[in-house]
Amino acid sequence: ACLRTTVAIGPADRPELVLLLAECLSGDRAVEVRIATADLIGGLGPKASAAAVSLRRAQSDADPKVRQAASAALKLVVANR
């Protein structure tokens, strides 16, 4: 539901939506949603820098695939900083 709400609201690179994505990353119980959220955040690159703290937290997720997705996304978000 979290990702559907975000997509329905509008472009994910809007600052308020980046924060909503960050909440999805830590707040959704479904592993697939957390992975997809990390991928989406990473795809936004530096525009999603507000989600960096959530990505760092997700690097400690119980699921290794979420940790991997968060690490990859973080590299893209903090690139060239």
Side-chain angles (χ1 to χ4, degrees), residues 4-73:
R4 279 189 296 234
T5 300
T6 304
V7 171
I9 293 173
D13 63 348
R14 290 181 24 208
E16 62 273 17
L17 295 182
V18 170
L19 294 176
L20 181 58
L21 286 170
E23 287 179 30
C24 291
L25 185 60
S26 61
D28 203 291
R29 286 184 264 183
V31 169
E32 297 82 8
V33 171
R34 296 196 309 274
I35 293 168
T37 301
D39 290 344
L40 181 56
I41 292 170
L44 296 173
K47 293 179 193 175
S49 62
V53 171
S54 293
L55 289 168
R56 285 187 183 96
R57 274 192 223 117
Q59 288 179 307
S60 299
D61 193 277
D63 189 278
K65 291 180 182 177
V66 174
R67 294 193 302 263
Q68 181 180 11
S71 293

